[in-house]
Amino acid sequence: VVKTPILAQAAIEFQSQAQKELMPISGPARGVVAGDSIDDEIAAARSRVEAYNNFLLTVGMEDYQEGFDQLLFFLSLVGSVFRKVHYSGSEVKVDNIHVQDFIVPWSTKSLSSCPRMTHVLRLHKHEVKANFKNKLWQKCDLKDGDESSEPQTQTQVKMDNVSGLSRNDPTDDRYIINEVHTYASLENGESDELPYIITYLVSTKKVLAVRRNWVETDVNYKPRSHFVHYKFLPWDGFYGIGLVQLLGGLAKASTGALRALMDSAAASNMPGGLINSKVTTGGLMGNNSTAMSPFEWNKVNLPSSASDADIRKHILPASQMYSPSPTLLSLMQWISTE
């Protein structure tokens, strides 16, 4: 299927420019000290923190730059991308989260004021068992993976088609586990709802873990932040808007114009056309409705005034009837440049 690369070109341009600004060779971290008085000790501490974070983001975390590059591309297209910062053992991990795998209430305006956030985890069996072994989750019986029972969204289907993926392999089903960051009243029958992280297996509703989500010494019980929300362009509500919303209509119009031009170009190069069957007296005779087919010359009746010794006056090639429209070409070029 032929499509104009307007969206892809705009996304790649944003990705390359943002990558150059946000991830320079020297590293993305810059140390800043609050206050006016900076002595040598504070300056040295700032330099150490800056150097460590640059090392961590460029060398220590192997998948960070690749994930950040992917984030920028999807951010420009979709408008909103989420990242989760967490520990995996003793290592710091930063994971990209697809929009469909991060669920918030409809009325949410921002992450800071969100009363409930659900991260949909899709894990293979060995990953789930590793969490059992490390006592991160409470052990339970595992049946077959339940990802295949969940209907795919239109976004997932299109992404799979673009990337050439297929979800027809039953042996690759993953387990769907919801990690809910919410408020609940669980300890000592207290009426106050406190921030917790509740993890459960979707297929069996089995609770795998319940964890406190505030610093133990914090008397205000402020919830710890694990997620970061990136917006391409802020919009009214929780999500941002991207190039699909901004340029989607123009991309469709340009694609339609391109396909029309290609059809007319193919028809204009098609061997065949119309040829005079006989010379009649006055006007077009009979029914001259005819279907054009490649490599065929369809006979039509022409008036007697067309009778001439010049054979070129009795033949109309398809190339003269279906030549590409210069106006349509100019319109497509204007849409692409705008």
Side-chain angles (χ1 to χ4, degrees), residues 82 96-104 117-122 147 150 153 156 167 174 176-179 227 239:
F82 301 91
N96 292 341
I97 305 175
H98 289 292
V99 175
Q100 65 267 20
D101 289 338
F102 192 79
I103 305 170
V104 297
M117 296 172 282
T118 301
H119 178 200
V120 180
L121 302 172
R122 304 175 187 274
E147 188 180 29
E150 183 186 50
T153 63
Q156 290 172 329
R167 295 177 185 248
R174 294 175 295 180
I176 301 177
I177 298 170
N178 283 353
E179 182 183 277
F227 303 101
Y239 296 99

Side-chain angles (χ1 to χ4, degrees), residues 16 37 65 79 89 105 112 114 168 178 191 193 222 230 270 296 317:
S16 60
S37 59
Q65 294 193 57
S112 59
C114 183
N168 296 326
N178 283 353
S191 59
E193 293 189 341
K222 181 180 179 180
Y230 295 85
M270 178 182 66
E296 289 186 3

Side-chain angles (χ1 to χ4, degrees), residues 293-338:
S293 301
F295 304 101
E296 289 186 3
W297 291 92
N298 298 323
K299 295 181 179 181
V300 295
N301 296 329
L302 298 178
S304 58
S305 59
S307 177
D308 195 275
D310 190 354
I311 188 64
R312 291 175 298 179
K313 294 184 178 180
H314 297 263
I315 296 176
L316 181 61
S319 59
Q320 296 183 16
M321 294 184 291
Y322 299 108
S323 58
S325 170
T327 303
L328 192 60
L329 177 60
S330 300
L331 176 63
M332 189 194 71
Q333 292 174 343
W334 178 83
I335 293 175
S336 300
T337 55
E338 290 296 319

Side-chain angles (χ1 to χ4, degrees), residues 120-191:
V120 180
L121 302 172
R122 304 175 187 274
L123 304 179
H124 293 282
K125 192 171 186 177
H126 74 277
E127 296 176 295
V128 177
K129 287 188 173 182
N131 288 336
F132 290 162
K133 183 178 180 180
N134 297 331
K135 297 184 178 180
L136 183 65
W137 292 343
Q138 181 181 359
K139 189 175 182 180
C140 67
D141 294 333
L142 292 176
K143 298 181 180 180
D144 294 334
D146 50 2
E147 188 180 29
S148 59
S149 62
E150 183 186 50
Q152 286 186 271
T153 63
Q154 293 183 359
T155 302
Q156 290 172 329
V157 172
K158 290 184 178 181
M159 289 178 63
D160 288 349
N161 290 336
V162 170
S163 57
L165 298 177
S166 175
R167 295 177 185 248
N168 296 326
D169 184 5
T171 63
D172 195 36
D173 293 340
R174 294 175 295 180
Y175 294 89
I176 301 177
I177 298 170
N178 283 353
E179 182 183 277
V180 185
H181 297 240
T182 186
Y183 289 84
S185 177
L186 300 177
E187 292 186 357
N188 301 325
E190 296 179 356
S191 59

Side-chain angles (χ1 to χ4, degrees), residues 83-102:
R83 301 194 92 183
K84 181 181 181 181
V85 184
H86 63 100
Y87 279 98
S88 177
S90 59
E91 298 181 357
V92 180
K93 294 288 185 180
V94 181
D95 300 329
N96 292 341
I97 305 175
H98 289 292
V99 175
Q100 65 267 20
D101 289 338
F102 192 79

Side-chain angles (χ1 to χ4, degrees), residues 6-50:
I6 294 178
L7 287 176
Q9 182 179 356
I12 292 173
E13 288 180 358
F14 168 80
Q15 181 190 32
S16 60
Q17 292 293 332
Q19 180 80 358
K20 181 176 64 176
E21 296 293 332
L22 300 177
M23 189 65 67
I25 298 177
S26 59
R30 293 292 179 270
V32 177
V33 178
D36 298 330
S37 59
I38 302 177
D39 55 24
D40 294 341
E41 184 178 354
I42 295 178
R46 178 190 62 184
S47 299
R48 289 194 300 271
V49 171
E50 181 179 310

Side-chain angles (χ1 to χ4, degrees), residues 256-267:
L258 176 61
R259 291 177 179 177
L261 286 171
M262 293 185 65
D263 291 341
S264 61

